[in-house]
Amino acid sequence: MSLLNNILYDMVYHSAPLILAVLGGLFAHKANVLNIGLEGMMLMGAFSSTLFVLITGNLWLGILISVLCTLILGLIFSFFGITMKSNFIITGFGINIFVAALSSFVLKYMAMANINVSSIVNTAGLKINIPIIKDIPILNSLLSGHTAITYLSIILIAVVTVIMYNTKFGVYVRVVGENEEAAKSVGINSAAIKYIAVLIGAALCGLAGANLAVERMALFTNNMTAGRGFIAIAAIYCGQAKPIKSAMYAILFGLAKSLAINLALFAGPVSGLFEIVPYLMIVIVLFAVSAIEKRRTNIRGFKLE
Amino acid sequence: MKKNNTLLKNIFNVLFPVISALILGGIIIATIGENPFLTYSVMIKKSLFSLDGLLKTLHFAAPLILTGLAIAITFKANIFNMGVEGQAVLGAFFAGVVGFTVKGLPPVLHITLCVLTGIVVGMLFALIPALLKAYFNVNEMVVTLMLNYVVVEIVKFLSQGVFKDPASGYVSTYPIAESAMFKKIFGSNLTVFFFIALIVFGIMYIVFNKSKLGYEVKAIGKNPEFSEATGMNVSKKIIIIMLISGAISGLAGAGFLMSEKYRFTLDFSGSPGLGWDGMLIALLGSHNPVGILVAAVFYAALKTGSDYIGVFTNVPKDIVGVIQGILILLLSVKFFNEQFHLFEKVKLLWKKSSSTDFNK
């Protein structure tokens, strides 16, 4: 029973940053901007949140500054990608490599192997226990004892769905993505819409990074996002950029990670190999989704996108 | 005249980001209270202006030329093989395994065997995303990236377990046998591997510029539907391109292991890694073999020089990675093209200034 509880708890734990990145990335994806920089933005969130919590000594101020930092990163991406019309993919990779190098540069300069803020942040105290639910078995590990940003991520699934399908902004984003010329002809400022879409993604990735580093572990280590940004891109892709569907894929990947961690305990010597399960699963899920898609649209020739 | 103009534009499109990135890197160095001019001069002096340093630079350029070419051929076809890093690491690992398990072979045979292992492993590993892309249209970028993480975990597992050398203080495999090492030539840092890289460069130059395949790669990159419609088997070509890319990546990893590290450690590929360096080099060289050669030497000089900046200044050598990131960002934009007329403006200014000079 406790194993099941652990698996469920870890599933939510590992899904939260993914859901945030997926929800953030959705907007850019819908606006036809391929944001490969999600990984770098998440890493920036993780790095700058721990760094500024360490500097300011205040958890929420640190997280706020880190969101501002990722917004700057989002502005850089938008400026290059949208205003200067660069190759999105290469710009995104530039962002990823730049953030990874910058964080390890700063760590080296400060002569630290990692940034540890456990003296400032009490991670156990950040867990919110919900009164009645915490006593119900199974549900308690799913719904109780998580952190504020985790709850926010789940609420945001609904919020993003509403924004995307029931507001003017959501319509604009989708119109710009589907037919930019048409959007321009009816007077929508497509560049501005794209900027906002990327910036929403950046802010949510900043939160995802803060969730990963400060809220959970009070620790930053080099490259700690470990491909989560790309997992998010895969989830968006599999879920056809629909908020609920994509979030479900994010949770599926969270489950894979959780299973890998919890079952590795029983695996003995090969437990190290369980780490590859989530990554392999993404390849398999992508394969399944693409294969079905290909069968459905059975035409000769294909697009390289 | 027109061709001349595009060449000039290309040169400006590369020079402008390089200079800007170096300036931005200099600003970062200055903000941590160090002297950027001293840092850069140490970097360049140690890597280019001494015979020893120059040979070392060329030695480090060898794997970079290869990963650069491996990325360029896929980029040119508008396929994003981000798995060059994983393919290189896996190729290196298994070349290393062959290097220390097989014993008693003459050097030439042993080296050939190791190199072939690296190439085959790289190709096999590239085959997975290639098949998925060609027949099921699975996004190759996400697949190759995910497989990179898989490779990292697998080699970590293997080098902590079966192949761990208990005699070494950290996680690493056994060192490869003497007969599998590329020997240093005349006591310098240069090894035969550099010349192998040059041979591959030559072959790729011909493939890119003179062969039918090179033309087809370009055609697929420009318009895959049209290529398919004109009777080209695009799926098959994608697999061939990926296999070539994987083979070169595997060779790069194997050669780097056999000429420099001699054993596989977890930080083998360095940070940010041979594959990512290759991406920068392919961009810097505008996917053109000669450009890649120049870019690889330039970047190897930065890397070699960065080993020394820690000795003479307090700047961490990771500054090269920061400059690399900025450089990739800037290289993604074509600053000098029809869109911004920056080139024409600069030329106009140039004409004006030179004509006024003449009038004086």
Side-chain angles (χ1 to χ4, degrees):
Chain A
M1 204 59 179
S2 85
L3 177 68
L4 181 65
N5 274 335
N6 283 345
I7 290 175
L8 289 177
Y9 186 85
D10 285 350
M11 180 184 85
V12 179
Y13 180 117
H14 289 290
S15 302
L18 285 178
I19 294 175
L20 281 171
V22 161
L23 293 177
L26 276 177
F27 287 96
H29 197 274
K30 280 275 186 206
N32 206 11
V33 179
L34 188 58
N35 188 354
I36 302 290
L38 290 181
E39 172 84 10
M41 290 175 183
M42 240 164 135
L43 192 63
M44 187 62 159
F47 166 65
S48 58
S49 60
T50 35
L51 183 70
F52 286 107
V53 167
L54 187 73
I55 291 173
T56 61
N58 181 319
L59 172 67
W60 300 109
L61 187 62
I63 290 180
L64 185 71
I65 298 176
S66 93
V67 170
L68 290 179
C69 287
T70 42
L71 280 176
I72 293 172
L73 211 57
L75 268 182
I76 295 174
F77 178 87
S78 314
F79 177 72
F80 279 110
I82 298 160
T83 309
M84 304 296 279
K85 299 205 167 32
S86 72
N87 181 332
F88 286 136
I89 293 177
I90 296 168
T91 308
F93 268 102
I95 295 256
N96 294 343
I97 288 173
F98 172 70
V99 176
L102 186 72
S103 54
S104 72
F105 173 77
V106 173
L107 279 186
K108 279 265 175 62
Y109 178 68
M110 289 163 64
M112 293 193 291
N114 48 46
I115 305 180
N116 191 334
V117 289
S118 55
S119 57
I120 301 167
V121 181
N122 171 19
T123 47
L126 287 175
K127 291 180 179 166
I128 300 169
N129 285 311
I130 298 174
I132 302 162
I133 292 172
K134 76 171 193 283
D135 300 320
I136 307 172
I138 298 186
L139 262 189
N140 63 353
S141 44
L142 262 184
L143 295 177
S144 174
H146 294 285
T147 57
I149 296 181
T150 306
Y151 289 120
L152 180 70
S153 71
I154 292 163
I155 297 166
L156 275 176
I157 298 176
V159 175
V160 168
T161 312
V162 171
I163 293 177
M164 195 61 95
Y165 295 104
N166 294 319
T167 64
K168 215 165 155 188
F169 173 71
V171 174
Y172 283 2
V173 168
R174 285 181 293 145
V175 170
V176 167
E178 268 156 34
N179 194 338
E180 196 171 342
E181 293 308 313
K184 274 183 187 162
S185 68
V186 292
I188 297 173
N189 186 346
S190 70
I193 295 285
K194 284 180 174 177
Y195 260 79
I196 296 169
V198 172
L199 288 180
I200 292 174
L204 291 187
C205 281
L207 280 180
N211 175 274
L212 204 64
V214 180
E215 247 197 346
R216 296 295 194 186
M217 308 158 80
L219 185 76
F220 174 81
T221 56
N222 269 334
N223 293 321
M224 72 181 298
T225 46
R228 284 183 176 83
F230 295 108
I231 296 177
I233 290 170
I236 296 171
Y237 181 82
C238 292
Q240 292 149 338
K242 290 176 183 142
I244 295 174
K245 213 173 164 191
S246 302
M248 292 316 271
Y249 277 101
I251 293 170
L252 182 66
F253 297 137
L255 177 67
K257 180 92 186 167
S258 155
L259 284 176
I261 290 171
N262 283 294
L263 296 182
L265 299 174
F266 304 97
V270 293
S271 60
L273 272 184
F274 273 65
E275 282 288 312
I276 67 175
V277 170
Y279 301 114
L280 274 185
M281 202 186 87
I282 284 158
V283 174
I284 293 166
V285 170
L286 261 181
F287 165 65
V289 170
S290 304
I292 293 166
E293 184 75 5
K294 176 139 180 148
R295 267 184 97 166
R296 224 163 43 116
T297 57
N298 199 5
I299 42 163
R300 189 178 147 80
F302 52 85
K303 274 192 160 57
L304 276 162
E305 289 300 330
Chain B
M1 184 64 203
K2 187 128 192 275
K3 203 183 168 191
N4 212 351
N5 234 343
T6 38
L7 183 72
L8 261 178
K9 264 183 199 169
N10 279 336
I11 291 173
F12 272 112
N13 266 328
V14 170
L15 273 186
F16 178 71
V18 167
I19 293 166
S20 320
L22 288 177
I23 291 173
L24 286 172
I27 293 173
I28 292 176
I29 294 170
T31 49
I32 64 166
E34 294 292 326
N35 184 346
F37 299 105
L38 179 71
T39 313
Y40 284 142
S41 73
V42 165
M43 243 189 226
I44 301 295
K45 243 186 231 158
K46 290 286 172 191
S47 59
L48 288 177
F49 291 96
S50 68
L51 185 65
D52 200 38
L54 187 65
L55 291 177
K56 206 172 171 186
T57 298
L58 290 181
H59 165 64
F60 277 118
L64 299 180
I65 294 170
L66 294 176
T67 50
L69 288 170
I71 296 246
I73 189 165
T74 59
F75 269 23
K76 209 151 201 169
N78 216 357
I79 302 170
F80 291 87
N81 176 13
M82 295 298 164
V84 168
E85 172 77 16
Q87 288 144 16
V89 167
L90 209 62
F93 185 82
F94 283 102
V97 170
V98 172
F100 63 74
T101 49
V102 180
K103 288 195 174 77
L105 282 180
V108 177
L109 214 63
H110 200 177
I111 287 179
T112 318
L113 190 65
C114 290
V115 166
L116 279 180
T117 311
I119 292 175
V120 170
V121 169
M123 279 170 89
L124 282 179
F125 195 60
L127 191 62
I128 304 169
L131 288 175
L132 290 180
K133 170 77 190 175
Y135 293 117
F136 298 100
N137 200 20
V138 184
N139 186 315
E140 78 285 1
M141 195 163 53
V142 177
V143 172
T144 47
L145 278 164
M146 290 296 122
L147 291 179
N148 280 347
Y149 290 98
V150 172
V151 167
V152 168
E153 296 298 336
I154 288 177
V155 297
K156 199 168 153 195
F157 174 73
L158 289 178
S159 48
Q160 280 169 342
V162 227
F163 298 120
K164 182 171 165 42
D165 178 5
S168 95
Y170 47 93
V171 177
S172 88
T173 64
Y174 297 99
I176 58 174
E178 191 89 356
S179 55
M181 292 178 187
F182 281 118
K183 293 282 166 340
K184 300 204 178 303
I185 302 171
F186 303 124
S188 75
N189 273 299
L190 217 54
T191 68
V192 182
F193 178 49
F194 176 71
F195 298 101
I196 293 180
L198 281 188
I199 292 170
V200 175
F201 163 79
I203 296 170
M204 292 307 286
Y205 181 84
I206 296 168
V207 169
F208 266 93
N209 293 324
K210 306 268 183 259
S211 77
K212 190 176 156 218
L213 181 67
Y215 174 74
E216 286 171 334
V217 166
K218 260 184 241 167
I220 293 173
K222 291 243 158 68
N223 193 339
E225 281 97 353
F226 183 74
S227 312
E228 180 82 33
T230 48
M232 200 189 287
N233 189 341
V234 174
S235 301
K236 207 172 126 199
K237 287 285 150 13
I238 287 178
I239 292 176
I240 291 173
I241 292 164
M242 286 291 272
L243 284 183
I244 292 175
S245 179
I248 302 175
S249 316
L251 173 65
F256 189 54
L257 183 109
M258 291 156 66
S259 66
E260 169 69 24
K261 300 269 182 173
Y262 303 129
R263 57 165 75 206
F264 189 86
T265 55
L266 290 184
D267 63 345
F268 166 76
S269 178
S271 145
L274 290 176
W276 306 122
D277 294 343
M279 192 168 95
L280 171 77
I281 287 157
L283 287 175
L284 259 181
S286 347
H287 312 326
N288 162 344
V290 180
I292 287 168
L293 190 68
V294 176
V297 173
F298 164 77
Y299 191 65
L302 273 189
K303 282 227 144 178
T304 317
S306 74
D307 286 342
Y308 294 94
I309 60 171
V311 181
F312 295 93
T313 64
N314 288 323
V315 183
K317 62 187 274 192
D318 300 71
I319 187 71
V320 175
V322 178
I323 294 174
Q324 181 183 5
I326 300 174
L327 200 47
I328 291 182
L329 267 179
L330 293 171
L331 281 169
S332 66
V333 184
K334 295 255 174 293
F335 286 98
F336 298 93
N337 62 6
E338 290 69 27
Q339 209 181 339
F340 299 110
H341 304 288
L342 216 53
F343 185 76
E344 275 69 27
K345 277 176 203 160
V346 173
K347 222 167 73 174
L348 211 70
L349 268 177
W350 176 256
K351 252 187 198 156
K352 254 186 204 161
S353 62
S354 54
S355 63
T356 43
D357 279 348
F358 187 70
N359 288 339
K360 266 181 213 169

